Amino acid sequence: MYKLIGDSCTDVTDELLQHTHINLVPLTIQIDDEIITDDRSLVQSELLQKMKASTQSPSSACPAPEAYMKLYGGDEDVYVVTLSSKLSGSYNSAVLAKNLYLEENEHKNIAVIDSLSAAVGQTLILLKVKELADQGLPFEKVVEVVEKYRDNMATRFVLESLENLRKNGRLSTVKAIIANTLNLKPIMRANGHGEIEKMDQARGMKRAIDLLIASIEKDVVEPESKVAGITHCNNLERAQYIKNELEKRVPFRKVIIVNAGGISTVYANDGGVIVCY
């Protein structure tokens, strides 16, 4: 028996939640003076509207250790997958909760896995945990195989808007204006250590998406054994285009699409897409 836990940057569909029984621990989002809990009650369109209206960059706060500890009880092995520790304190919070819990429950199996990714990347890792645990692999072997899987996973994403990067000081106003004027769209990736870096750029979203797909086609290794995941922020048509092109050009075992939750919406912004494989 096992229990799957993710923080709320784990993007899932209702169907996926019912099928996997993933427990999600919410982060919070702050826009100006308003604190928003990133749970199933969050309305993406309202969040996007509030982000657009604010002159400040939205910020997020990780769950308290107590929020994780509440889910650690029971007889099951516990597997926790969090947002990259380089992007959030969620991983550290889950680890602190584990250490506190084990002080009184020393024989409990709890694994806290730093995704080194975000969004659907976390989803794919949790699905891999489920696949291995369902095969009856012992706890330590599941963790070993999943961490290797994580280390070989790639994350790519394209942003429609640079506004959040400008607001939070990661991009100067001048660069943002130039990029918007020239319709430049950055293609970003996780660098393998949980940090984000620019990979390429293109003029226009269509060109950027095609470059993203081409980079996946070029870089992917043994796609027949892999599931690809796509998080989209308020643009299902764009995600479906990527899925269709990947299915034509790369023999992935499966390609899934999920809509961005609150935290992924903050990162990707309106129209952004994240692909993990």
Side-chain angles (χ1 to χ4, degrees):
M1 295 177 61
Y2 60 90
K3 184 183 294 185
L4 304 178
I5 302 172
D7 61 37
S8 63
C9 194
T10 308
D11 293 328
V12 290
T13 60
D14 290 335
E15 180 183 5
L16 196 58
L17 271 183
Q18 292 173 359
H19 174 65
T20 58
H21 304 292
I22 297 172
N23 301 270
L24 296 182
V25 181
L27 284 81
T28 56
I29 301 163
Q30 181 168 356
I31 301 177
D32 298 325
D33 296 327
E34 183 178 5
I35 306 294
I36 303 166
T37 301
D38 183 23
D39 58 19
R40 304 301 285 176
S41 68
L42 183 144
V43 179
Q44 185 187 63
S45 59
E46 293 178 0
L47 176 60
L48 287 168
Q49 188 176 28
K50 291 173 182 177
M51 287 165 53
K52 187 174 181 180
S54 175
T55 59
Q56 305 298 314
S57 172
S59 61
S60 61
C62 66
E66 291 77 14
Y68 284 106
M69 284 184 68
K70 288 177 182 177
L71 293 171
Y72 288 174
D75 298 328
E76 309 99 326
D77 291 342
V78 174
Y79 301 94
V80 187
V81 177
T82 71
L83 179 58
S84 169
S85 60
K86 299 295 178 64
L87 300 175
S88 167
S90 185
Y91 171 77
N92 290 333
S93 185
V95 170
L96 177 56
K98 170 186 172 179
N99 294 337
L100 291 170
Y101 190 86
L102 291 180
E103 287 181 2
E104 297 183 3
N105 305 271
E106 60 181 335
H107 300 298
K108 177 79 172 185
N109 287 330
I110 303 174
V112 181
I113 299 166
D114 182 349
S115 73
L116 303 179
S117 183
V120 76
Q122 296 170 238
T123 312
L124 294 185
I125 294 171
L126 279 166
L127 290 176
K128 176 57 73 171
V129 170
K130 184 179 189 304
E131 177 186 326
L132 297 170
D134 284 345
Q135 291 172 7
L137 269 66
F139 175 79
E140 293 80 6
K141 188 64 176 179
V142 170
V143 175
E144 176 189 339
V145 174
V146 166
E147 288 183 343
K148 184 177 180 181
Y149 172 83
R150 182 266 322 269
D151 292 343
N152 287 286
M153 190 176 72
T155 301
R156 305 275 190 271
F157 62 98
V158 179
L159 303 178
E160 176 77 71
S161 170
L162 300 176
E163 192 61 13
N164 277 357
L165 293 179
R166 181 194 67 77
K167 287 178 180 177
N168 66 23
R170 295 184 181 179
L171 189 70
S172 73
T173 299
V174 172
K175 286 183 178 178
I177 291 173
I178 291 173
N180 288 336
T181 301
L182 297 178
N183 197 24
L184 296 176
K185 307 299 181 186
I187 303 162
M188 314 288 284
R189 67 181 171 193
N191 65 3
H193 306 289
E195 299 166 323
I196 294 169
E197 63 185 19
K198 183 179 174 183
M199 186 176 81
D200 206 341
Q201 66 181 28
R203 183 170 292 184
M205 198 63 173
K206 174 66 165 62
R207 176 62 178 155
I209 292 296
D210 287 341
L211 278 176
L212 172 74
I213 295 167
S215 75
I216 295 170
E217 184 179 16
K218 178 182 177 181
D219 295 343
V220 66
V221 177
E222 298 181 353
E224 298 87 353
S225 63
K226 295 182 176 181
V227 176
I230 304 166
T231 284
H232 73 92
C233 183
N234 195 36
N235 200 319
L236 179 58
E237 182 180 357
R238 185 169 288 160
Q240 192 64 54
Y241 172 79
I242 295 171
K243 180 178 188 289
N244 292 342
E245 288 300 309
L246 287 177
E247 288 177 339
K248 289 178 192 174
R249 297 156 63 172
V250 185
F252 282 115
R253 178 156 59 96
K254 187 178 182 181
V255 181
I256 65 172
I257 294 175
V258 292
N259 191 22
I263 298 297
S264 296
T265 295
V266 168
Y267 280 106
N269 214 338
D270 201 3
V273 287
I274 304 166
V275 183
C276 300
Y277 55 95

